[in-house]
């Protein structure tokens, strides 16, 4: 069984070289898709036989980059793909351990795999959401794992594994989402096709969600991610689009509205609130109208 890895980069620092080298010894093919405008800084990585660098020369978004990487792995004949952010930190046995988990997990067909993770800035553990016939159920590996395993509907992209044959069934990542909610939309689409996410609770990675912190507001735990205004635009726009496309499901609408409420409450603790709230309002409008794809430069400048 052959496996591959996709790393999507954007203005990466030198730490990405260590990640590429670490993964090149664990998989048959590493594909680095660089979205850095006008950059060829990673081209030297491609001199290694099992490393392929796709230099886009501009920011084509994470969804398109993931699809490009999947196409490269398909041509290489890989069976499994693992996705990583440029700042991912993985142990030397990561891929072999995740594949061994896939072979023994309770789900036999129609599943993806993902690790547990801890946000390295706030120190908070991952919370996984499983959609049911009733209300969504949120769980953590520490409290809810069964035999080191947790079943979820959603997982973040970083560290997740997907079989190439299942990618053919679920389809490509949505280019029009560009960034943010790309993984949520993909997991939701997979769930509608009968797929689930098997979380390996014995494998925990370090991951950064923005610059997350932990605050308390009237007894509620709020985790501001301190994203820039442009990211807030994409979060609200793409989340709104998912609400529009799933308007017939009160459960899904409520789930995404709860995400929006958290984003709004986070503004209490973040800087440049005016710009971020403006970007969020524009994102709401564009999401309702279906104005998708990369945000146009003129609008981006109005957020800064």
């Amino acid at each position: 069984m052959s496996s591959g890895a996709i790393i999507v980069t954007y203005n990466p620092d030198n730490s990405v070289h260590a990640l590429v080298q670490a993964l090149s010894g664990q998989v048959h093919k590493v594909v680095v898709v660089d979205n850095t405008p006008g950059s060829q800084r990673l081209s030297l990585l491609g001199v290694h036989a099992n490393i392929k660098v796709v230099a886009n020369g501009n920011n084509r978004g994470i969804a398109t980059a993931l699809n490009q990487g999947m196409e490269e792995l398909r041509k290489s004949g890989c069976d499994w793909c693992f996705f990583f952010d440029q700042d991912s930190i993985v142990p030397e046995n990561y891929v072999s351990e995740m594949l061994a988990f896939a072979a023994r997990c309770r789900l036999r067909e129609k599943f993806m795999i993902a690790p547990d993770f801890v946000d390295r800035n706030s120190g908070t553990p991952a919370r996984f959401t499983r959609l049911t016939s009733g209300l969504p159920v949120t769980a953590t590996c520490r409290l809810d794992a069964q035999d080191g395993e947790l079943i979820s509907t959603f997982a973040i992209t970083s560290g997740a594994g997907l079989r190439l044959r299942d990618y053919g069934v679920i389809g490509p990542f949505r280019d029009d989402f560009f960034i943010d909610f790309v993984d949520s939309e993909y997991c939701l689409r997979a769930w509608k096709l009968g797929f689930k996410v098997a979380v390996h609770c014995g494998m925990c990675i370090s991951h950064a969600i923005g610059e997350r912190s932990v605050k308390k507001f009237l007894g509620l735990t709020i985790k501001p991610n301190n994203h820039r205004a442009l990211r807030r635009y994409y979060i609200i726009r793409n989340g709104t689009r998912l609400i529009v496309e799933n308007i017939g499901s009160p459960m899904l609408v409520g789930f995404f509205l709860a995400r929006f409420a958290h984003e709004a409450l986070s503004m209490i603790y973040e800087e440049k609130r005016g710009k971020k709230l403006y970007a969020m309002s524009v994102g709401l409008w564009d999401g309702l109208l279906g104005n998708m794809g990369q945000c146009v430069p003129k609008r981006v400048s109005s957020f800064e």
Side-chain angles (χ1 to χ4, degrees):
M1 180 183 298
S2 62
S3 59
I6 299 173
I7 306 169
V8 179
T9 61
Y10 180 78
N11 289 323
D13 58 28
N14 290 332
S15 65
V16 73
H17 291 261
L19 174 63
V20 172
Q21 295 301 326
L23 288 172
S24 67
Q26 300 188 47
V27 298
H28 295 82
K29 186 83 170 185
V30 177
V31 180
V32 182
V33 185
D34 188 18
N35 275 336
T36 306
S39 174
Q40 298 290 326
R41 70 173 70 182
L42 300 180
S43 58
L44 289 178
L45 290 174
V47 301
H48 299 275
N50 71 331
I51 300 174
K52 168 78 173 184
V53 177
V54 179
N56 283 330
N58 58 75
N59 188 3
R60 298 185 62 183
I62 191 169
T64 296
L66 291 172
N67 290 330
Q68 289 176 287
M70 291 299 278
E71 178 59 22
E72 292 292 337
L73 294 185
R74 185 193 64 79
K75 291 188 293 187
S76 297
C78 291
D79 300 299
W80 277 89
C81 169
F82 290 89
F83 309 99
F84 298 96
D85 293 343
Q86 63 188 32
D87 60 350
S88 296
I89 301 174
V90 297
E92 61 182 15
N93 66 333
Y94 182 81
V95 173
S96 61
E97 177 58 32
M98 290 298 286
L99 290 175
F101 168 73
R104 68 176 183 268
C105 76
R106 284 175 286 165
L107 301 176
R108 308 314 310 164
E109 295 293 334
K110 290 191 171 184
F111 70 99
M112 298 177 278
I113 55 177
D116 189 14
F117 73 87
V118 173
D119 179 76
R120 71 173 64 109
N121 293 315
S122 64
T124 53
R127 298 181 68 85
F128 297 93
T129 300
R130 184 176 75 254
L131 299 179
T132 67
S133 56
L135 295 174
V137 176
T138 301
T140 65
C141 275
R142 184 174 69 86
L143 298 176
D144 305 291
Q146 296 182 14
D147 297 324
E149 182 180 332
L150 197 67
I151 304 301
S152 178
T153 301
F154 298 97
I156 62 172
T157 308
S158 184
L162 176 66
R163 287 179 289 200
L164 271 292
R165 74 184 191 200
D166 291 331
Y167 174 77
V169 173
I170 302 168
F173 294 89
R174 281 183 61 168
D175 298 302
D176 62 332
F177 270 47
F178 196 74
I179 191 173
D180 289 308
F181 275 94
V182 170
D183 45 11
S184 295
E185 187 281 330
Y186 199 81
C187 288
L188 180 59
R189 190 169 7 127
W191 175 73
K192 291 178 180 179
L193 292 171
F195 285 81
K196 297 177 181 178
V197 178
V199 180
H200 184 359
C201 291
M203 178 60 71
C204 187
I205 66 171
S206 172
H207 180 71
I209 303 177
E211 297 178 8
R212 175 172 283 184
S213 58
V214 180
K215 305 292 184 181
K216 288 290 184 179
F217 177 78
L218 300 179
L220 297 174
T221 300
I222 307 298
K223 300 176 182 178
N225 293 326
N226 298 289
H227 287 308
R228 296 169 51 211
L230 179 59
R231 289 289 303 277
R232 296 290 182 184
Y233 164 82
Y234 284 119
I235 290 169
I236 298 300
R237 186 199 69 180
N238 295 347
T240 299
R241 198 65 218 155
L242 286 176
I243 290 175
V244 171
E245 294 175 355
N246 295 278
I247 197 64
S249 171
M251 176 187 64
L252 290 175
V253 171
F255 173 69
F256 290 117
L257 285 177
R259 293 276 299 269
F260 282 11
H262 182 271
E263 291 293 325
L265 288 174
S266 295
M267 290 299 99
I268 298 172
Y269 303 100
E270 296 196 15
E271 299 178 351
K272 299 182 179 180
R273 288 186 289 271
K275 290 287 188 180
K276 292 179 180 181
L277 288 170
Y278 170 65
M280 291 164 72
S281 66
V282 175
L284 175 64
W285 183 249
D286 280 352
L288 290 171
L289 294 181
N291 295 329
M292 304 297 285
Q294 186 174 11
C295 188
V296 296
K298 183 178 180 180
R299 183 164 284 173
V300 172
S301 63
S302 70
F303 299 155
E304 302 302 327

